[in-house]
Amino acid sequence: VAELSRWLQANAGTYKRAVDTPDARITSAAWFVRKHREVEAHTWKLRSVGGPFNCTACHAGAVRGDFSERNVRIPK
């Protein structure tokens, strides 16, 4: 575990598309904002969605890493 931890710390980095801050969030990355620009503000506030952090609200395959646009169902 210690060896793996050292490797992860030594090789961790911020991907170029992410925001370069220590507290960077995927939801503030430019690519995320661009991909979700069609989602209306009120949709993020729906009880069934809760916010942009709840991927499974719209992406049924998110738990499997499947974010295909063909499988997106935006709650109304």
Side-chain angles (χ1 to χ4, degrees):
V1 171
E3 183 178 351
L4 179 56
S5 180
R6 281 191 299 276
W7 185 90
L8 289 171
Q9 289 177 4
N11 294 286
T14 303
Y15 192 71
K16 290 182 181 180
R17 294 190 305 188
V19 178
D20 288 330
T21 61
D23 63 341
R25 295 193 169 126
I26 196 168
T27 57
S28 61
W31 67 267
F32 182 94
V33 173
R34 185 179 65 252
K35 285 286 198 176
H36 295 85
R37 67 179 172 249
E38 295 176 11
V39 179
E40 296 182 27
H42 78 275
T43 302
W44 296 120
K45 296 176 185 176
L46 292 173
R47 178 177 238 145
S48 62
V49 177
F53 54 83
N54 185 11
C55 302
T56 58
C58 303
H59 299 273
V63 295
R64 297 184 312 278
D66 177 10
F67 294 92
S68 171
E69 291 181 22
R70 289 179 286 175
N71 298 324
V72 171
R73 301 291 179 261
I74 300 174
K76 300 206 186 265

